[in-house]
PDB file of all heavy atoms in Angstrom:
ATOM      1  N   ARG E 157      -9.717  27.568  35.851  1.00 94.00           N
ATOM      2  CA  ARG E 157      -9.848  27.740  37.305  1.00 94.00           C
ATOM      3  C   ARG E 157     -11.306  27.593  37.732  1.00 94.00           C
ATOM      4  O   ARG E 157     -11.612  27.011  38.774  1.00 94.00           O
ATOM      5  CB  ARG E 157      -9.311  29.111  37.737  1.00 94.00           C
ATOM      6  CG  ARG E 157      -7.841  29.356  37.429  1.00 94.00           C
ATOM      7  CD  ARG E 157      -6.916  28.667  38.398  1.00 94.00           C
ATOM      8  NE  ARG E 157      -6.873  29.285  39.712  1.00 94.00           N
ATOM      9  CZ  ARG E 157      -6.184  30.372  40.021  1.00 94.00           C
ATOM     10  NH1 ARG E 157      -5.473  31.011  39.093  1.00 94.00           N
ATOM     11  NH2 ARG E 157      -6.178  30.832  41.259  1.00 94.00           N
ATOM     12  N   ARG E 158     -12.236  28.127  36.939  1.00 93.00           N
ATOM     13  CA  ARG E 158     -13.654  28.004  37.280  1.00 93.00           C
ATOM     14  C   ARG E 158     -14.097  26.548  37.238  1.00 93.00           C
ATOM     15  O   ARG E 158     -14.871  26.093  38.087  1.00 93.00           O
ATOM     16  CB  ARG E 158     -14.513  28.852  36.340  1.00 93.00           C
ATOM     17  CG  ARG E 158     -14.335  30.353  36.534  1.00 93.00           C
ATOM     18  CD  ARG E 158     -15.472  31.126  35.912  1.00 93.00           C
ATOM     19  NE  ARG E 158     -15.581  30.922  34.472  1.00 93.00           N
ATOM     20  CZ  ARG E 158     -14.969  31.673  33.566  1.00 93.00           C
ATOM     21  NH1 ARG E 158     -14.172  32.675  33.947  1.00 93.00           N
ATOM     22  NH2 ARG E 158     -15.133  31.436  32.278  1.00 93.00           N
ATOM     23  N   LEU E 159     -13.608  25.813  36.243  1.00 95.00           N
ATOM     24  CA  LEU E 159     -13.943  24.396  36.153  1.00 95.00           C
ATOM     25  C   LEU E 159     -13.462  23.659  37.400  1.00 95.00           C
ATOM     26  O   LEU E 159     -14.226  22.908  38.028  1.00 95.00           O
ATOM     27  CB  LEU E 159     -13.308  23.783  34.904  1.00 95.00           C
ATOM     28  CG  LEU E 159     -13.299  22.256  34.816  1.00 95.00           C
ATOM     29  CD1 LEU E 159     -14.724  21.700  34.831  1.00 95.00           C
ATOM     30  CD2 LEU E 159     -12.555  21.787  33.578  1.00 95.00           C
ATOM     31  N   TYR E 160     -12.214  23.852  37.774  1.00 96.00           N
ATOM     32  CA  TYR E 160     -11.660  23.122  38.917  1.00 96.00           C
ATOM     33  C   TYR E 160     -12.372  23.510  40.213  1.00 96.00           C
ATOM     34  O   TYR E 160     -12.660  22.648  41.045  1.00 96.00           O
ATOM     35  CB  TYR E 160     -10.157  23.376  39.019  1.00 96.00           C
ATOM     36  CG  TYR E 160      -9.392  22.974  37.781  1.00 96.00           C
ATOM     37  CD1 TYR E 160      -8.347  23.749  37.284  1.00 96.00           C
ATOM     38  CD2 TYR E 160      -9.739  21.829  37.068  1.00 96.00           C
ATOM     39  CE1 TYR E 160      -7.653  23.386  36.143  1.00 96.00           C
ATOM     40  CE2 TYR E 160      -9.060  21.460  35.920  1.00 96.00           C
ATOM     41  CZ  TYR E 160      -8.020  22.247  35.460  1.00 96.00           C
ATOM     42  OH  TYR E 160      -7.348  21.886  34.324  1.00 96.00           O
ATOM     43  N   ARG E 161     -12.677  24.790  40.375  1.00 96.00           N
ATOM     44  CA  ARG E 161     -13.402  25.197  41.585  1.00 96.00           C
ATOM     45  C   ARG E 161     -14.805  24.612  41.623  1.00 96.00           C
ATOM     46  O   ARG E 161     -15.335  24.308  42.696  1.00 96.00           O
ATOM     47  CB  ARG E 161     -13.469  26.724  41.662  1.00 96.00           C
ATOM     48  CG  ARG E 161     -12.134  27.374  41.994  1.00 96.00           C
ATOM     49  CD  ARG E 161     -12.316  28.820  42.431  1.00 96.00           C
ATOM     50  NE  ARG E 161     -11.030  29.425  42.728  1.00 96.00           N
ATOM     51  CZ  ARG E 161     -10.407  30.289  41.937  1.00 96.00           C
ATOM     52  NH1 ARG E 161     -10.960  30.660  40.800  1.00 96.00           N
ATOM     53  NH2 ARG E 161      -9.241  30.793  42.283  1.00 96.00           N
ATOM     54  N   SER E 162     -15.417  24.450  40.472  1.00 96.00           N
ATOM     55  CA  SER E 162     -16.798  23.963  40.433  1.00 96.00           C
ATOM     56  C   SER E 162     -16.925  22.519  40.898  1.00 96.00           C
ATOM     57  O   SER E 162     -18.024  22.077  41.232  1.00 96.00           O
ATOM     58  CB  SER E 162     -17.370  24.105  39.018  1.00 96.00           C
ATOM     59  OG  SER E 162     -16.877  23.095  38.146  1.00 96.00           O
ATOM     60  N   VAL E 163     -15.812  21.780  40.914  1.00 96.00           N
ATOM     61  CA  VAL E 163     -15.851  20.395  41.391  1.00 96.00           C
ATOM     62  C   VAL E 163     -15.171  20.262  42.755  1.00 96.00           C
ATOM     63  O   VAL E 163     -14.782  19.176  43.161  1.00 96.00           O
ATOM     64  CB  VAL E 163     -15.236  19.417  40.366  1.00 96.00           C
ATOM     65  CG1 VAL E 163     -16.078  19.386  39.088  1.00 96.00           C
ATOM     66  CG2 VAL E 163     -13.783  19.779  40.039  1.00 96.00           C
ATOM     67  N   GLY E 164     -15.018  21.387  43.443  1.00 97.00           N
ATOM     68  CA  GLY E 164     -14.555  21.350  44.823  1.00 97.00           C
ATOM     69  C   GLY E 164     -13.076  21.583  45.044  1.00 97.00           C
ATOM     70  O   GLY E 164     -12.600  21.453  46.173  1.00 97.00           O
TER      71      GLY E 164
END
Side-chain angles (χ1 to χ4, degrees):
R157 299 282 287 281
R158 291 197 299 270
L159 167 61
Y160 302 140
R161 288 196 181 105
S162 76
V163 295

